[in-house]
Amino acid sequence: MLDALNYYFEQRKFTRFWFSFGGRISRLSFLLGLLGLIVAFGFFTVVIIPILHSIYPVLVLLIYPFLAALLWSTVTLKIKRWHDMDRSGFHVLLSLIPVIGAIFFFLILIIPGTFGKNRYG
């Protein structure tokens, strides 16, 4: 019974980290999360897509839900990082502006989060 509860709470932490907009994450968690997303994207584009394409080209369409999940996870990580700096998650929209987006990306890597509790957790 205890193992089942531990598994349940670990699964909730996993899904909350990758798919939830709530809460905040540190710079290190953000970097590790982005590294994981880059590895997953590379794996899909270098390994999975060529295999599926060689079997039957239409099977490549099965990858789109996974790529959408990777994009969603990237947005949630950025929002949580803004929350850690006690800023609104709408700052993620600034990353859509070409030059300003790169500047803001480096800012969320450099600026430390607020100490203690803030509006977002």
Side-chain angles (χ1 to χ4, degrees):
M1 177 71 173
L2 189 58
D3 290 335
L5 285 175
N6 285 335
Y7 177 76
Y8 172 76
F9 286 117
E10 289 300 317
Q11 288 298 106
R12 286 192 46 111
K13 287 180 190 176
F14 176 81
T15 55
R16 188 177 306 136
F17 180 78
W18 291 108
F19 300 111
S20 170
F21 292 123
R24 44 193 279 203
I25 58 173
S26 66
R27 290 179 287 181
L28 180 61
S29 297
F30 177 72
L31 280 174
L32 292 176
L34 279 183
L35 181 65
L37 290 172
I38 290 169
V39 168
F41 181 76
F43 178 74
F44 279 115
T45 56
V46 173
V47 177
I48 300 296
I49 290 177
I51 290 172
L52 290 177
H53 192 275
S54 67
I55 295 171
Y56 192 65
V58 178
L59 289 177
V60 174
L61 296 175
L62 296 175
I63 294 299
Y64 287 116
F66 295 106
L67 294 179
L70 290 176
L71 178 65
W72 181 272
S73 297
T74 303
V75 171
T76 60
L77 289 178
K78 286 182 180 181
I79 287 174
K80 290 179 193 179
R81 186 68 196 110
W82 281 109
H83 285 176
D84 190 43
M85 296 181 292
D86 203 19
R87 302 277 185 245
S88 171
F90 284 108
H91 284 84
V92 171
L93 296 176
L94 294 173
S95 65
L96 298 176
I97 303 170
V99 175
I100 295 174
I103 293 169
F104 274 93
F105 178 74
F106 287 112
L107 284 177
I108 63 177
L109 291 176
I110 295 170
I111 298 174
T114 56
F115 295 104
K117 290 230 176 236
N118 65 16
R119 292 183 287 174
Y120 302 101

